Amino acid sequence: MDRKWVTMGDVARAAGVGKITVSRALRTPSKVSADTLEKVQKAVVALGYVRDETAGALSSQRSRVVGALVSTLEQPVFASTIRGLEEGLSAGGLQLLLGSTRYQPEKEALMVSTLLGRRPDALVLTSSDHTEDTRRLLSGAGLPVIELWELPETPIHAAVGFSNRAAGHDMARHLIASGRRAPVFLRTDRASDTRADMREKGYLDALEGHAPRIHSLPPREDQGGPDYGAEGLAQVLQRWPDTDAVICVSDALAVGALCEARRRGIDVPGALAVTGFGDIDVAGAAALDLTTIRIDGAAIGREAARLTLAACDGEDIRGRRIDLGYQLIRRATG
Amino acid sequence: MDRKWVTMGDVARAAGVGKITVSRALRTPSKVSADTLEKVQKAVVALGYVRDETAGALSSQRSRVVGALVSTLEQPVFASTIRGLEEGLSAGGLQLLLGSTRYQPEKEALMVSTLLGRRPDALVLTSSDHTEDTRRLLSGAGLPVIELWELPETPIHAAVGFSNRAAGHDMARHLIASGRRAPVFLRTDRASDTRADMREKGYLDALEGHAPRIHSLPPREDQGGPDYGAEGLAQVLQRWPDTDAVICVSDALAVGALCEARRRGIDVPGALAVTGFGDIDVAGAAALDLTTIRIDGAAIGREAARLTLAACDGEDIRGRRIDLGYQLIRRATG
DNA sequence: GCGCCCTATGGTATCGATACCACCACTTGC
DNA sequence: GCAAGTGGTGGTATCGATACCATAGGGCGC
């Protein structure tokens, strides 16, 4: 299974030039004569040479790798973010080293340190809730850090996202304005899901005299699919039978809650409004037609890639907060 | 923004030992006395040292990185596969370098060569359709290659997946056995989606005299969400008005087709059966209750991680084909 | 015609870790 | 009591690329 890799020296010998010339021919072709360039390119093809980027990283102190951490890949919106990020970065010649934290700050701390071991040129974090350890590591590392999906007051360096609080507020406001009297906020109770926390805060902001009703489902291994939402609605109705709206913290929960409501013969949206968050692709399908908040995940990723490339280019990105907003999509369920 | 990284030499000086001892303390603690170990660990914490893995990779010729390519992350089943893979690998001390090919073999060729530049210890490919260039690169590179989601007759080295052909066959068989006379196979027409091709072959195998009806939707930028499935059903019904079953190549298409059928007032499953592929989490929700083929994406990832770790341990994995099967989930739509 | 600069190229040191070998201080066996 | 082992430690070369400096050769201005 083992084979020696072709090295730059091999290519140099084959092309009859010095190896530094090979390096230049590949990295900065403009600094090499057309003649030499061709010889080198021929030798590269003939030998099937692939440059060892790790060696290059060591000597140039630039790895051309960006570390990224997501809470989970299994929510399609995050997957879209990663796609946008990957596309943007690879266009700029950067590669993506990926990890997931599963909403656990301790896991994040571990992963950050693992990623730093690869000496990435930048770090992208899909979260803004970090342990003290993480913050210390990051501030000591001296590399650009970009936070996504939230807009903290004082980001570590820069952030790309939207206001979860405002979004939660708008949704609650919308329901109250259309006559709902007893809206419930349904969420999972993960220890550190700051996005859910902020949406909940927004919900509370919007109540204006209505009684706050927050129902938290205990965290589970799976990330909270529709089954969980169905269960959640059952609990909510038992706890507050007069509920007339359920604001779910995610579309997955909302789909479950909606189906459970229909199963029980509850009139949606007549007797009960159900709303989601994220606008996953099935949310708009006719059988569901869910009212929700649309987030453009891919755009967040693309914007993050733009910022990253700028930072790698030496630009100072500290303090930048890019708000990409959200959109309340009013459909049939509320 | 720049700061010098702490090196192993710094730690060695602080701990009053040689730097090779530091290396051993971190990599193989058992070979160092308890006393020295403690001194080193203290120095590591005090200085906030993070080992430079790229330098380590260069000298040990083992990068502890695994390159992975997926067709897309936006199908939840692939996201699950990546989660399974990542969990398995990180438990074994390996990191994941991720790229996506968007179902384009040329993009795959490019990404493989980019990944090889990082000198990964293994490669995981979510596809079995490779260009000649890719095959040459891979065979020359001399590293373990694991293909997922398909079971080619002769994998490059090893494969983990299931028979897409058998799954397509079983679904068609199931519908015909329950009395359907004119089943249609609905798919998107991507140039190189071999999984869809195999499912289609399976469908054809099962027809036994019934007329083959395959409707291909032209490829589009988005990966084919429910909207596309709705459009697809409309086209199918126009082309073959007597259609009594639609076998969709993915759940996303099926959800769209199902909703479109209901919108038109078609009796499902009475007049029309609709089936999907993948069993995404909303498929089972009451409002959809889709008949589909369940694939355990996470298990595929975990099994791939196991194989990868074995291969990195020196085991010869050539010729292994691990069949994880699938499950026909019969629900309300057929 | 001389000196200057600019382009193209090569040599050598270097990045930060690990492999390999050497060595020392003990213990163990006979 | 001495050779042979063993566990712990350090020195030095090395991995494969790039940075930095040096150099050769030509064109051009004065």
Side-chain angles (χ1 to χ4, degrees), chain B residues 8 23 27 49 52 55 59:
Chain B
M8 205 170 248
S23 172
R27 194 70 83 184
Y49 172 67
D52 186 333
S59 62

Side-chain angles (χ1 to χ4, degrees), chain B residues 296-334:
Chain B
D296 188 344
I300 293 180
R302 281 195 301 273
E303 203 54 37
R306 255 188 12 86
L307 261 184
T308 306
L309 288 170
C312 290
D313 237 48
E315 210 170 296
D316 187 355
I317 60 165
R318 275 175 295 190
R320 295 240 204 122
R321 292 166 76 243
I322 300 180
D323 189 344
L324 292 178
Y326 53 84
Q327 212 182 335
L328 201 163
I329 306 286
R330 194 165 174 197
R331 295 206 188 91
T333 64

Side-chain angles (χ1 to χ4, degrees), chain A residues 297-319:
Chain A
I300 293 179
R302 281 195 301 272
E303 204 55 37
R306 254 186 16 83
L307 261 185
T308 306
L309 288 170
C312 290
D313 238 47
E315 209 170 297
D316 187 354
I317 60 165
R318 274 176 295 191

Side-chain angles (χ1 to χ4, degrees), chain B residues 67-78:
Chain B
L69 288 177
V70 290
S71 304
T72 172
L73 273 174
E74 278 159 297
Q75 282 196 246
V77 275
F78 291 134

Side-chain angles (χ1 to χ4, degrees), chain B residues 20-305:
Chain B
I20 188 67
T21 302
V22 175
S23 172
R24 269 189 289 249
L26 298 174
R27 194 70 83 184
T28 50
S30 65
K31 294 192 171 172
V32 159
S33 72
D35 193 39
T36 328
L37 187 56
E38 201 193 316
K39 279 193 294 188
V40 171
Q41 282 168 340
K42 275 205 178 113
V44 165
V45 172
L47 297 175
Y49 172 67
V50 178
R51 180 171 54 240
D52 186 333
E53 299 285 347
T54 61
L58 183 58
S59 62
S60 69
Q61 305 288 58
R62 294 197 51 205
S63 60
R64 290 159 214 273
V65 162
V66 172
L69 288 177
V70 290
S71 304
T72 172
L73 273 174
E74 278 159 297
Q75 282 196 246
V77 275
F78 291 134
S80 301
T81 299
I82 292 298
R83 174 171 60 82
L85 184 64
E86 201 253 346
E87 284 175 10
L89 292 180
S90 68
L94 296 178
Q95 273 174 275
L96 191 65
L97 199 57
L98 189 73
S100 74
T101 64
R102 320 202 73 195
Y103 292 99
Q104 298 161 17
E106 318 75 50
K107 182 124 195 269
E108 185 191 63
L110 184 68
M111 295 293 307
V112 163
S113 133
T114 311
L115 288 177
L116 286 179
R118 299 286 162 187
R119 300 294 186 264
D121 290 341
L123 232 42
V124 176
L125 305 178
T126 310
S127 150
S128 300
D129 182 35
H130 316 294
T131 65
E132 264 319 300
D133 279 0
T134 306
R135 289 185 181 279
R136 198 168 335 109
L137 261 174
L138 290 177
S139 68
L143 46 64
V145 176
I146 297 164
E147 293 160 284
L148 304 186
W149 277 83
E150 302 182 47
L151 289 175
E153 287 295 315
T154 53
I156 300 180
H157 292 145
V160 179
F162 60 93
S163 169
N164 284 275
R165 187 165 184 166
H169 176 273
D170 283 7
M171 183 57 91
R173 216 44 251 160
H174 157 69
L175 291 171
I176 290 169
S178 50
R180 308 289 165 175
R181 291 282 153 260
V184 172
F185 187 82
L186 178 63
R187 57 171 297 184
T188 55
D189 190 22
R190 274 191 288 260
S192 104
D193 184 346
T194 49
R195 286 182 288 274
D197 294 342
M198 294 312 289
R199 289 170 203 169
E200 180 183 310
K201 279 216 179 80
Y203 159 81
L204 290 172
D205 293 344
L207 287 178
E208 288 182 13
H210 294 83
R213 294 181 168 184
I214 296 169
H215 188 72
S216 293
L217 297 160
R220 278 200 320 199
E221 248 319 293
D222 67 28
Q223 295 300 320
D227 298 350
Y228 213 35
E231 206 175 300
L233 182 69
Q235 292 174 17
V236 164
L237 292 178
Q238 187 168 12
R239 192 165 164 194
W240 298 295
D242 62 331
T243 296
D244 61 2
V246 182
I247 301 175
C248 301
V249 79
S250 74
D251 279 352
L253 286 184
V255 169
L258 175 59
C259 294
E260 176 67 11
R262 292 205 180 130
R263 204 185 59 78
R264 294 175 171 224
I266 299 173
D267 173 24
V268 176
L272 182 74
V274 177
T275 68
F277 216 105
D279 197 26
I280 57 177
D281 60 4
V282 298
L288 298 169
D289 213 16
L290 190 70
T291 295
T292 190
I293 299 274
R294 174 179 296 166
I295 310 296
D296 188 344
I300 293 180
R302 281 195 301 273
E303 203 54 37

